[in-house]
Amino acid sequence: MNWDVLLAPYSQAVEELKVKLKGIRAQFEHESRHSPIEFITGRVKPVPSILEKAESRQIRLDRVEQELQDIAGVRVVCQFVDDIYTIVNMIKSREDLKIVEEKDYVSRKKESGYRSYHMIIKYPVETIHGVKMVIAEIQIRTLAMNFWATNEHSLNYKYKGSIPSNIKSRLQRASEAAFKLDEEMSIIKNEVQEAQRIFHRK
């Protein structure tokens, strides 16, 4: 299998989606309005990770593109919880992609404490062979959720998915603390945004 050829459209999809989402952020800034987007990252899953996931889920390599939904991944990080749903609605209203599936782990967190909003999309990529519909995952979360998830991911990697129970319970408490922070910041959202507008005017 030629992985470079297979993954090229996924790289293109990630780069195009990042440009489009950064465009949304710029439009809000030009209008001097609060941007629901703090920053955007994206990546294509490395080949060893694809092989590992395919093996653990017993997916044949010729079915990887159909059955792995996160080969292409884009992450949108927001300041406030409300911003997550603003972005979700904006993505839903777009005509340049198709929503396949949505998972709201913000209002219904995972048992581990993980919170994020996942959207599985189909995105058309123009290739030399014509249009290819690429499956990609967009994750939308707050800064606090992103901080927690990044650390949990590192611990999962270190312990190969079996995090010791004492660390797991601390992670769950940290998740609640992160969400409490999000809730408190949401209450003073208007004050924060007004302060940011004053700062940017200077």
Side-chain angles (χ1 to χ4, degrees):
M1 183 180 289
N2 188 331
W3 286 104
D4 288 341
V5 171
L6 183 93
L7 296 178
Y10 290 90
S11 296
Q12 193 174 326
V14 167
E15 291 310 312
E16 288 181 18
L17 287 164
K18 279 164 63 181
V19 166
K20 289 177 179 184
L21 289 161
K22 283 175 183 173
I24 292 172
R25 186 172 188 262
Q27 285 170 48
F28 274 100
E29 286 171 354
H30 292 324
E31 294 179 16
S32 300
R33 290 166 61 198
H34 163 72
S35 172
I37 299 174
E38 188 73 12
F39 65 86
I40 300 132
T41 62
R43 62 96 187 103
V44 174
K45 214 178 204 29
V47 174
S49 297
I50 293 172
L51 293 171
E52 193 179 314
K53 197 165 185 179
E55 188 181 343
S56 70
R57 295 194 177 181
Q58 297 182 319
I59 298 167
R60 295 201 324 263
L61 287 186
D62 62 346
R63 293 288 305 161
V64 156
E65 288 191 273
Q66 291 77 27
E67 296 190 40
L68 280 190
Q69 297 180 318
D70 64 343
I71 293 175
V74 174
R75 184 172 300 150
V76 181
V77 179
C78 311
Q79 269 192 307
F80 302 101
V81 177
D82 288 356
D83 294 337
I84 294 173
Y85 296 100
T86 301
I87 296 298
V88 167
N89 290 330
M90 280 183 171
I91 291 170
K92 282 181 180 176
S93 69
R94 294 188 73 99
E95 294 180 0
D96 55 350
L97 53 82
K98 181 175 182 287
I99 311 292
V100 177
E101 192 180 340
E102 294 173 71
K103 296 168 187 168
D104 184 354
Y105 299 123
V106 176
S107 55
R108 291 184 302 279
K109 64 175 181 178
K110 286 189 176 180
E111 193 183 337
S112 63
Y114 176 87
R115 279 187 166 97
S116 189
Y117 199 105
H118 292 198
M119 301 180 90
I120 307 299
I121 64 162
K122 279 189 176 175
Y123 181 78
V125 172
E126 297 278 350
T127 77
I128 56 170
H129 305 292
V131 176
K132 178 182 173 72
M133 294 302 285
V134 167
I135 295 174
E137 180 181 69
I138 301 175
Q139 295 179 351
I140 309 151
R141 53 174 72 150
T142 63
L143 288 155
M145 291 172 194
N146 192 54
F147 174 65
W148 185 92
T150 303
N151 289 315
E152 192 238 11
H153 181 78
S154 300
L155 287 165
N156 258 318
Y157 187 80
K158 176 184 177 180
Y159 291 108
K160 296 182 170 57
S162 300
I163 299 173
S165 58
N166 63 320
I167 297 176
K168 201 178 278 188
S169 62
R170 283 194 177 276
L171 267 176
Q172 286 169 333
R173 286 203 294 277
S175 166
E176 289 311 309
F179 198 63
K180 186 73 180 160
L181 172 64
D182 275 335
E183 286 180 325
E184 291 295 331
M185 293 307 284
S186 291
I187 293 165
I188 57 167
K189 178 180 177 181
N190 292 337
E191 291 287 333
V192 172
Q193 287 174 356
E194 180 59 29
Q196 287 171 340
R197 278 193 289 274
I198 293 164
F199 180 77
H200 286 304
R201 278 203 294 271
K202 285 183 178 177

